[in-house]
């Protein structure tokens, strides 16, 4: 069957104009986990739901990459015990 995965566009969600605040990250991934990650057609690698993240190099340059991935992993784990493959 057809597989789906989500592509998280970071720049519009990180509020660049507010010094790259991560306030939206947890709630965004919480919604994804509840709504999509248990779907049988959701793409998985080694049993883990895949989440593509856009512009990780910019997050790294701004010192936000680790914080963002930690928030994403916590949100997925706390909302369905999903071990994200980012």
């Amino acid at each position: 069957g057809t597989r789906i995965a989500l592509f998280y566009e970071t720049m519009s969600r990180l509020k660049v104009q507010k010094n790259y605040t991560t306030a939206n990250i947890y709630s965004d991934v919480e919604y994804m986990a509840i709504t999509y990650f248990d779907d049988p057609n959701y793409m998985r690698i080694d049993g883990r739901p895949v989440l593509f993240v856009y512009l990780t190099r910019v997050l790294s340059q701004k010192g936000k990459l680790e914080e963002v991935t930690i928030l994403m992993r916590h949100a997925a784990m706390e909302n369905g015990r999903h071990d994200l493959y980012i």
Side-chain angles (χ1 to χ4, degrees), residues 55-66:
L55 288 177
T56 56
R57 73 181 180 283
V58 174
L59 295 176
S60 181
Q61 291 167 354
K62 298 297 181 184
K64 293 290 185 174
L65 183 58
E66 183 177 8

Side-chain angles (χ1 to χ4, degrees), residues 1 3 5 11-12 22-24 26 35 37 43 47-48 51 55 57-58 64 71 75-76 79-81 85-86:
R3 297 282 176 224
M11 291 301 98
S12 66
T22 58
N24 294 326
Y26 187 96
T35 307
F37 293 166
M43 178 188 250
R48 300 162 64 192
L51 179 60
L55 288 177
R57 73 181 180 283
V58 174
K64 293 290 185 174
L71 285 167
N79 291 280
R81 308 270 323 141
Y85 188 97
I86 299 174

